[in-house]
Amino acid sequence: MTLKTDGFFVLPGAFDDDVFAQVLTDWTVRFGTATASKSFILLDCHDQSLRVSGQMLIETDGTLQLLQGNGESWVQNSTAKGRFVQELLCGSVREALQGFPELRALTGIGAGRVENRSLTILDDQQKTQVRGDLMALSCKTGRATIIRVQRLRGYDRAFVAVCSALTEMGGNADGVEAVFQALFPGMVPYQAKPEVRLGQTEPSVQVATDIIRTYLTVARRNEDGVIADVDTEFLHDYRVSLRRVRSVLDLFKGVFSERQSAELKQVFSDLMAPTGRVRDLDVYLLEKDIYFNLIPSKLHVGLDVMFEQFEKQRAQELSRLSRRFRSAAYDRSMNTLIELFSVTDRLEPGPNATRGANEYACALIWKRYRKVCKLARSINEETPDKAVHDLRIDCKKLRYLMEFFAPLFARKRFKLILKPLKKLQDSLGLFNDYSIQQEALLDFVSQQSNAQGQVQAQLGMAVGGLIAVLDQRQRAERDRVIASFQQFDGPDTRHLFRSLFHHKKE
Amino acid sequence: MKIIACYSNKGGVGKTTTSVNLAYAYARAGKQVLLCDLDPQGASGFYLRVKPSKKLTEARFFEDVKRFVNAIRASDFEGLDVLPANLTFRDFDVFLSRMRNKRSRLKKALIAAGSDYDVIILDCPPNFSTLSENIFKAADEIVVPVVPTTLSERSFDQLVSFFDEHKLRKKKLRAFFSMVQRRKTLHHETMDMMRERYRRRFLKCVIPFAADVEKMGQHRAPVSVYAGRSAASAAYQALYEELENGVVSGK
């Protein structure tokens, strides 16, 4: 069911009926009797995608209600099979949530009690001139009232009066964000890529420390989700954050002393290592349907066997990883790291530690850009795959560098460069995926084979079929890499790179 | 868009109650309905608590689409809007008679201003005039309440003759018996006779004379709203069904 209202207001705290009635002197205000108070759960995913997009999803008594700040709302049954949007029952809420990330699960991010009342504004003939409803939400940390009002044709004066009365009472018409703030004032939305503020001349050791500390914190905010196995994005974000830390250590050469750099690289490599297998298995399982579509159904029996194995392995690997995340030793080591990066003076500076951020950024990015171009221009039909893999790594490094230092540069021009770079990276990513998947499949088969190197026929056929298809795709993607690079290597992008990062000292 | 006129050349036969209850039945069936109160007394507006329009005068009704549209008011019921009457509507005739294409003016105004609606119901004043000629021309269907008495019979005869004389399409006339009192022999006799004489003109549905209908003035709402299970409510629903779908309800 979809409902459209014309006015949407959020009043922090409780709603004062008398004040509202006193402001509207020309009309009679009538409130309906309140419904019995019900408990509600506020649903969103970990990164609060709904909240960020100005929406609010609440579940009460087997009903899901989705609210938008423009007054639109949807209601449907909530007896869901799963926690993902695509697993909700068919209905208007699910329909309205179509753009919601498929990999993110909905979880309760807050709870409280809700009470509904109707609102009618009448004239002296007892004719309704404005209709509406009030939704009073309360929880341990706050209260808020959502007031939705409907404009009735021909009664604009009353509608305008009601809206200005609500504004006068402190009503906020900017959408659902005010509800979150009133109910859960301390709640900090999770951000996978928080902006790290940088100054143009900030010493680069400070930049490195800030970035590392930020991403360590981001990583930590994903641990609980991994343990509870809410969705696969928690582990993914955890790994991406650590990868960013590692790339700072790797790319910001000379910022820390050689000894400390080497030591830190080892520490973070050790942190990353135990997560790799679970993530690989997550990816295979997420792409299960794709694998099945790659080969004819005659060969599916073998795939069933393979995916059963994957699921079993994932459960084992995840419980191992969860145990690690819950261990006191892990907690201690993470806390020590955060402490280490809380200020710069606990770190040993290297020769580049005091270089100004902007100057250092330009030097790093320009150098990496030149390297990418040189490598990419050398790639043709005959170059070995390894060159393409190297190009992927260099592009990734370039991208990280640009993202780290983005706050120092003009946003618009930056976006112009990033777009073709992303496209090139997508292509390189696919090329790499096809190649890694083939290796992984061969690995899997060798694990499953007996002492004589024989495997079950159906499994062998399925994997053989997959490898054949993946190999073809990989070759096709290679052509696309060359095409994407040519786009990236256009005169506009070249000019932008030069003007942003290469100021010749003359 | 369909235009239904609720018309009778005789007063006090239940035009306004029919207009209001029929409009409500259409709205309840999910249609977007505009009820136009063309009767300067503004009784259908009164039944729906909508005050008379101050700004919409007869001239603006026909010439100023924007004013016409702005004068429309939402009723308290989903899908039902009202164009309230204005006292100057009593001069519709004088105004219309001075205009060119004077017989098709109403239709033009309704089509221009009423495009949002599936159904427009006209609550008409009781007389033969330039306005009623406009109504006959504009309406797709003309619903005529007939009280089964001698005087009403005479009025209906006059209406049919008027259609004959002016070569109007008699097929538009959808008469029904209104305010029928079952215990009155005269009512039964008149009904039988008229059904015999005007075989194709009368709907099967009959609206009874009922206290519930008279109470509309107190409740200021359609009968089905405050007496949903009454015979009158069922009768208006049946009238809607028969008009819209040609279905005659069992009762």
Side-chain angles (χ1 to χ4, degrees):
Chain A
M1 193 174 68
T2 314
L3 189 86
K4 178 91 189 85
T5 49
D6 309 287
F8 183 95
F9 294 87
V10 178
L11 267 166
F15 187 83
D16 192 329
D17 294 6
D18 296 335
V19 171
F20 184 61
Q22 275 160 23
V23 179
L24 291 169
T25 41
D26 290 358
W27 291 272
T28 311
V29 179
R30 196 175 289 162
F31 295 98
T33 32
T35 56
S37 137
K38 291 181 213 160
S39 60
F40 76 85
I41 299 173
L42 182 62
L43 295 169
D44 209 330
C45 61
H46 185 51
D47 56 9
Q48 301 193 3
S49 306
L50 286 175
R51 176 183 182 174
V52 172
S53 63
Q55 305 184 85
M56 184 178 157
L57 181 64
I58 63 172
E59 185 175 9
T60 40
D61 257 6
T63 306
L64 277 179
Q65 188 173 13
L66 179 69
L67 298 167
Q68 275 184 357
N70 62 4
E72 258 185 291
S73 65
W74 294 266
V75 180
Q76 78 162 63
N77 230 321
S78 78
T79 37
K81 290 173 285 174
R83 298 160 305 170
F84 293 89
V85 167
Q86 59 271 29
E87 292 172 342
L88 293 177
L89 291 179
C90 286
S92 63
V93 172
R94 184 175 141 176
E95 195 97 329
L97 286 175
Q98 245 169 20
F100 193 82
E102 274 190 17
L103 298 178
R104 275 292 185 194
L106 290 168
T107 49
I109 60 164
R113 298 198 73 78
V114 59
E115 228 179 68
N116 290 290
R117 279 194 296 165
S118 67
L119 167 69
T120 325
I121 311 294
L122 302 160
D123 66 6
D124 54 354
Q125 310 276 307
Q126 302 296 294
K127 165 81 181 75
T128 309
Q129 295 208 345
V130 179
R131 225 194 299 266
D133 61 15
L134 290 93
M135 216 169 140
L137 301 151
S138 61
C139 68
K140 278 181 198 147
T141 45
R143 302 179 72 145
T145 310
I146 296 174
I147 304 110
R148 294 180 294 179
V149 281
Q150 212 178 328
R151 183 200 293 270
L152 293 179
R153 186 165 188 170
Y155 297 105
D156 292 331
R157 195 173 78 86
F159 179 75
V160 171
V162 167
C163 289
S164 61
L166 289 169
T167 311
E168 219 171 282
M169 288 169 72
N172 179 316
D174 296 333
V176 297
E177 181 54 31
V179 184
F180 286 89
Q181 280 174 18
L183 286 180
F184 310 104
M187 188 190 274
V188 186
Y190 164 80
Q191 267 183 299
K193 252 199 225 177
E195 199 189 299
V196 183
R197 281 167 198 276
L198 307 178
Q200 297 286 351
T201 53
E202 194 176 315
S204 35
V205 69
Q206 181 74 54
V207 176
T209 313
D210 287 350
I211 296 174
I212 292 175
R213 189 186 50 250
T214 306
Y215 282 106
L216 267 172
T217 320
V218 173
R220 291 230 81 179
R221 287 196 70 177
N222 283 293
E223 291 158 359
D224 289 341
V226 175
I227 296 169
D229 197 15
V230 176
D231 61 47
T232 56
E233 289 298 276
F234 285 91
L235 182 61
H236 179 56
D237 279 11
Y238 177 86
R239 284 169 53 80
V240 170
S241 312
L242 289 189
R243 200 177 294 138
R244 280 177 205 275
V245 172
R246 292 177 71 190
S247 57
V248 170
L249 292 171
D250 188 32
L251 298 170
F252 286 38
K253 289 196 176 24
V255 163
F256 303 120
S257 75
E258 217 163 288
R259 192 199 65 80
Q260 189 158 41
S261 268
E263 188 193 307
L264 286 169
K265 277 182 194 172
Q266 190 55 50
V267 169
F268 282 99
S269 163
D270 292 348
L271 275 177
M272 192 77 148
T275 61
R277 188 59 190 151
V278 185
R279 177 60 192 166
D280 286 348
L281 290 163
D282 276 346
V283 173
Y284 299 145
L285 290 167
L286 288 172
E287 292 184 344
K288 190 173 169 180
D289 292 347
I290 300 177
Y291 280 104
F292 274 83
N293 284 329
L294 282 180
I295 55 172
S297 51
K298 280 171 266 177
L299 303 180
H300 284 181
V301 189
L303 281 191
D304 283 326
V305 176
M306 185 170 90
F307 276 99
E308 250 170 61
Q309 289 282 338
F310 284 165
E311 263 165 64
K312 228 183 267 168
Q313 278 184 24
R314 180 186 183 264
Q316 286 166 359
E317 292 290 335
L318 183 69
S319 83
R320 191 173 304 158
L321 183 60
S322 303
R323 262 202 310 279
R324 178 181 152 77
F325 277 169
R326 280 192 303 245
S327 72
Y330 169 81
D331 187 54
R332 252 195 323 273
S333 67
M334 286 303 263
N335 285 337
T336 315
L337 280 172
I338 290 179
E339 190 122 322
L340 179 64
F341 286 99
S342 61
V343 280
T344 47
D345 30 339
R346 290 190 190 155
L347 295 149
E348 296 167 20
N352 283 330
T354 50
R355 279 176 80 173
N358 188 302
E359 186 258 324
Y360 189 55
C362 288
L364 288 178
I365 294 173
W366 181 247
K367 199 173 155 198
R368 190 63 58 181
Y369 169 66
R370 299 255 302 214
K371 199 171 171 196
V372 164
C373 289
K374 198 175 152 203
L375 190 53
R377 284 175 199 146
S378 74
I379 290 176
N380 54 39
E381 282 83 47
E382 276 101 55
T383 17
D385 284 355
K386 187 174 173 301
V388 184
H389 287 302
D390 290 345
L391 177 62
R392 185 181 71 90
I393 307 281
D394 273 312
C395 281
K396 204 174 203 171
K397 288 179 175 171
L398 177 62
R399 168 85 172 272
Y400 276 137
L401 278 176
M402 290 182 61
E403 283 182 351
F404 290 144
F405 290 113
L408 297 177
F409 299 94
R411 193 182 290 254
K412 238 187 182 165
R413 297 168 78 195
F414 233 71
K415 264 195 174 163
L416 280 176
I417 313 185
L418 276 177
K419 214 175 154 192
L421 178 61
K422 273 183 195 167
K423 216 180 148 200
L424 174 60
Q425 280 191 291
D426 285 345
S427 201
L428 286 163
L430 279 175
F431 178 85
N432 184 55
D433 287 351
Y434 293 138
S435 134
I436 293 212
Q437 283 163 3
Q438 290 175 57
E439 276 168 40
L441 285 165
L442 285 170
D443 248 23
F444 177 73
V445 171
S446 69
Q447 279 165 28
Q448 301 291 314
S449 59
N450 62 17
Q452 284 80 44
Q454 290 164 327
V455 283
Q456 192 209 347
Q458 276 162 330
L459 185 69
M461 285 198 293
V463 171
L466 275 177
I467 290 179
V469 179
L470 289 169
D471 186 54
Q472 280 168 17
R473 300 221 163 177
Q474 188 184 355
R475 271 186 252 172
E477 202 54 50
R478 205 188 151 108
D479 296 339
R480 251 166 265 160
V481 167
I482 297 173
S484 308
F485 175 71
Q486 273 158 1
Q487 251 182 358
F488 173 71
D489 201 24
D492 292 350
T493 316
R494 280 193 207 186
H495 174 72
L496 273 170
F497 264 102
R498 186 172 286 276
S499 66
L500 276 167
F501 309 116
H502 189 58
H503 316 288
K504 268 205 179 133
K505 290 158 217 151
E506 283 168 61
Chain B
M1 185 181 63
K2 181 154 97 171
I3 300 172
I4 301 174
C6 197
Y7 174 85
S8 166
N9 46 321
K10 187 182 179 309
V13 294
K15 280 188 302 296
T16 298
T17 50
T18 306
S19 304
V20 171
N21 288 303
L22 197 57
Y24 180 69
Y26 269 100
R28 267 228 306 207
K31 298 274 196 287
Q32 289 298 316
V33 185
L34 175 65
L35 173 58
C36 286
D37 195 352
L38 299 181
D39 191 333
Q41 290 171 21
S44 51
F46 173 82
Y47 280 147
L48 294 170
R49 301 174 190 263
V50 176
K51 291 179 193 175
S53 167
K54 281 180 210 151
K55 289 181 187 153
L56 188 70
T57 61
E58 89 285 84
R60 280 166 171 161
F61 189 105
F62 289 102
E63 289 173 336
D64 191 343
V65 174
K66 210 174 147 218
R67 289 273 184 177
F68 184 123
V69 170
N70 283 345
I72 295 173
R73 300 277 178 269
S75 76
D76 283 4
F77 311 104
E78 181 78 40
L80 174 55
D81 289 354
V82 182
L83 181 79
N86 176 295
L87 266 180
T88 68
F89 284 8
R90 69 180 189 277
D91 300 324
F92 264 148
D93 278 319
V94 186
F95 179 80
L96 281 168
S97 59
R98 285 199 301 257
M99 293 181 90
R100 269 197 292 170
N101 303 328
K102 54 187 179 186
R103 285 180 187 84
S104 56
R105 282 281 154 181
L106 177 68
K107 187 158 191 163
K108 279 194 183 131
L110 290 175
I111 286 172
S115 56
D116 293 355
Y117 297 95
D118 302 319
V119 183
I120 296 181
I121 293 183
L122 307 173
D123 181 15
C124 310
N127 49 25
F128 286 118
S129 60
T130 322
L131 176 64
S132 41
E133 280 183 67
N134 263 276
I135 288 165
F136 299 154
K137 207 150 185 169
D140 299 300
E141 285 182 292
I142 302 160
V143 177
V144 190
V146 177
V147 184
T149 58
T150 323
L151 268 183
S152 289
E153 191 188 336
R154 208 176 138 256
S155 303
F156 193 68
D157 291 344
Q158 286 170 351
L159 179 61
V160 175
S161 315
F162 186 91
F163 267 61
D164 281 333
E165 280 161 33
H166 292 79
K167 298 200 168 57
L168 292 162
R169 291 183 59 211
K170 276 191 289 187
K171 255 187 145 174
K172 285 184 182 180
L173 291 173
R174 314 293 305 270
F176 67 94
F177 292 107
S178 170
M179 301 165 82
V180 174
Q181 299 183 49
R182 296 202 168 271
R183 282 178 302 175
K184 286 193 177 164
T185 326
L186 174 69
H187 277 196
H188 283 287
E189 284 172 5
T190 316
M191 275 163 52
D192 289 346
M193 207 176 61
M194 286 187 78
R195 278 197 199 282
E196 184 69 22
R197 185 135 53 102
Y198 299 107
R199 271 173 194 269
R200 300 213 187 115
R201 298 287 77 83
F202 275 86
L203 297 166
K204 300 250 175 355
C205 160
V206 166
I207 307 286
F209 181 88
D212 285 326
V213 178
E214 292 190 314
K215 283 184 194 151
M216 269 177 75
Q218 288 168 355
H219 292 283
R220 298 182 70 178
V223 176
S224 307
V225 172
Y226 60 88
R229 300 168 92 176
S230 65
S233 166
Y236 284 117
Q237 185 59 29
L239 176 64
Y240 156 76
E241 297 279 354
E242 195 176 353
L243 268 178
E244 186 60 16
N245 309 319
V247 181
V248 185
S249 76
K251 210 174 157 188

